[in-house]
Amino acid sequence: MFSNGFSLVGVLYPVFFVVVFALAVTLGVLLIRTLLWVIRALAAYTRERELRIDLLLAGDDDPDGPPAPDGPAI
């Protein structure tokens, strides 16, 4: 009546959990990489804004700097 031999459910059950674990690890790695990419992009954007503000506040203190463009050359 009861079999102690090979069972398909006994094989598929651990395989299913190994596959689910691998997918969870893969999604976790992708999430962490995406968060690091976003943090790096926001840091670069913030640094660019800081430099622009610093340049705007600095004004034109360099008399030997390049002349301002007169307009579009056609």
Side-chain angles (χ1 to χ4, degrees), residues 27-41:
L27 287 175
V29 168
L30 289 175
L31 178 65
I32 290 171
R33 288 184 60 151
T34 303
L35 286 175
L36 290 174
W37 178 78
V38 168
I39 290 169
R40 189 170 53 239

Side-chain angles (χ1 to χ4, degrees), residues 21-66:
F21 181 74
L23 286 174
V25 169
T26 302
L27 287 175
V29 168
L30 289 175
L31 178 65
I32 290 171
R33 288 184 60 151
T34 303
L35 286 175
L36 290 174
W37 178 78
V38 168
I39 290 169
R40 189 170 53 239
L42 286 175
Y45 177 75
T46 303
R47 181 65 181 146
E48 180 185 353
R49 298 283 295 181
E50 289 173 355
L51 289 174
R52 285 185 182 189
I53 290 171
D54 287 345
L55 288 174
L56 285 173
L57 292 176
D60 190 15
D61 295 339
D62 188 11
D64 297 330

